[in-house]
């Protein structure tokens, strides 16, 4: 099994190329990371630590390309020590939940999603934790037009007798750090769905730190939805968090303040 970090002068995936990363791979770094066509990069699990994808100059995710770490976080009934146990037939918890039940940092998320509670079968695994980095210089640019997903895995229905269904896994963590960010892709940290009278997983956490330009240059979808419940189960699992920190202050204004870099940070939640 591959482990550790790997560095390339340039890494390009084209057409229907597929790159699969073993659970022990912690980072990939390149001057340019370019994914075109229907290329996919898939993280295997279980992995409870963050996978870092680092580009010095450009990180390009074209329409149709995808980076996926779905259901590779904590397994059934497992969670980070800071996360709460949802209880029987409940989904894993992460970015959303009752007061005092959430876990992880909404500004700088790193936790993998918690697994759902088991029933007759194992609960859904939580989503993984991925960090995308392209901020070595002021001109370093990240273009996200494809899909990046750290969704939780759905629970499973009971298949015989009087057993109970299992809960969905919580969404994982997605952290984006870029000097310049643009695109119209989809960033997702949804919780896994429930089946047969159980609960879905809570939404995960997504944080975007982009210095220049503002969020107006990224017009895509950013979501951390809860996995839908099933049957008469109540209450519905909670949505996670989406956080933006963008540098909408001009260079001249920053110079007047005697600062080289200013961020205006605004926490927001998905609908």
């Amino acid at each position: 099994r591959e482990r550790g970090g790997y560095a390339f002068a340039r890494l390009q995936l084209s057409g229907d190329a597929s790159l699969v990363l073993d659970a022990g791979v912690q980072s990939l770094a390149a001057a340019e990371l370019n994914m075109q066509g229907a290329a996919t990069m898939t993280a295997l699990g279980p992995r409870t630590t963050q996978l870092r994808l680092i580009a010095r100059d450009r990180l390009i995710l074209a329409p149709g390309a995808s980076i996926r770490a779905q259901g590779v976080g904590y397994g059934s009934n497992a969670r980070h020590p800071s996360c709460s146990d949802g209880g029987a037939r409940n989904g894993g918890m992460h970015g959303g939940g009752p007061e005092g039940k959430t876990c992880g940092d909404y500004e700088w998320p790193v936790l993998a999603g918690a697994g759902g509670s088991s029933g007759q079968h194992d609960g859904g695994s939580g989503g993984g934790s991925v960090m995308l980095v392209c901020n070595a210089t002021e001109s370093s640019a990240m273009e996200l037009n494809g899909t990046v997903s750290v969704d939780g895995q759905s629970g499973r229905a009971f298949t015989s007798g009087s057993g109970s269904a299992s809960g969905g896994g919580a969404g994982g963590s997605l952290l984006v750090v870029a000097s310049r960010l643009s695109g119209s892709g989809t960033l997702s940290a949804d919780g896994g769905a429930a089946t047969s009278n159980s609960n879905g997983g809570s939404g995960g956490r997504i944080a975007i730190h982009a210095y220049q330009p503002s969020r107006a240059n990224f017009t895509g979808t950013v979501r951390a939805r809860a996995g839908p419940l099933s049957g008469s189960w109540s209450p519905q699992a909670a949505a996670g968090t989406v956080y933006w920190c963008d540098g909408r202050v001009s260079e001249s204004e920053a110079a007047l303040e005697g600062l080289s870099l200013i961020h205006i940070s605004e926490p927001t939640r998905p609908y």
Side-chain angles (χ1 to χ4, degrees), residues 6 46 54 90 95 103 118 129 132 147-148 150 169 172 175 177 188 216 220-221:
Y6 295 82
I54 305 165
N90 231 319
C103 54
S118 60
S129 175
L132 305 180
T147 299
V148 185
V150 292
L175 177 58
V177 181
S188 177
T221 299

Side-chain angles (χ1 to χ4, degrees), residues 214-227:
S214 73
R215 73 177 67 177
N217 291 74
F218 181 80
T219 59
T221 299
V222 184
R223 67 191 190 211
R225 304 175 300 187

Side-chain angles (χ1 to χ4, degrees), residues 104-158:
D105 187 339
Y106 71 91
E107 290 184 273
W108 199 264
V110 298
L111 295 186
S117 297
S118 60
Q120 191 177 68
H121 302 286
D122 286 346
S125 295
S129 175
V130 174
M131 182 180 187
L132 305 180
V133 183
C134 189
N135 71 337
T137 68
E138 290 184 6
S139 60
S140 298
M142 186 182 298
E143 302 172 23
L144 300 179
N145 290 298
T147 299
V148 185
S149 175
V150 292
D151 292 352
Q153 184 183 47
S154 296
R156 292 185 62 189
F158 65 90

Side-chain angles (χ1 to χ4, degrees), residues 21 30 48 57 63 65 70 87 92 101 107 115 129 138-139 205 215:
L21 307 178
T48 56
D57 301 324
Q70 299 162 309
K101 298 290 187 179
E107 290 184 273
S129 175
E138 290 184 6
S139 60
R205 295 192 187 274
R215 73 177 67 177

Side-chain angles (χ1 to χ4, degrees), residues 74-111:
Y74 286 95
S76 178
N77 299 315
R79 67 199 65 82
H80 187 270
S82 65
C83 299
S84 298
D85 178 2
R89 293 188 291 171
N90 231 319
M93 291 190 178
H94 184 192
E99 185 177 359
K101 298 290 187 179
T102 61
C103 54
D105 187 339
Y106 71 91
E107 290 184 273
W108 199 264
V110 298
L111 295 186

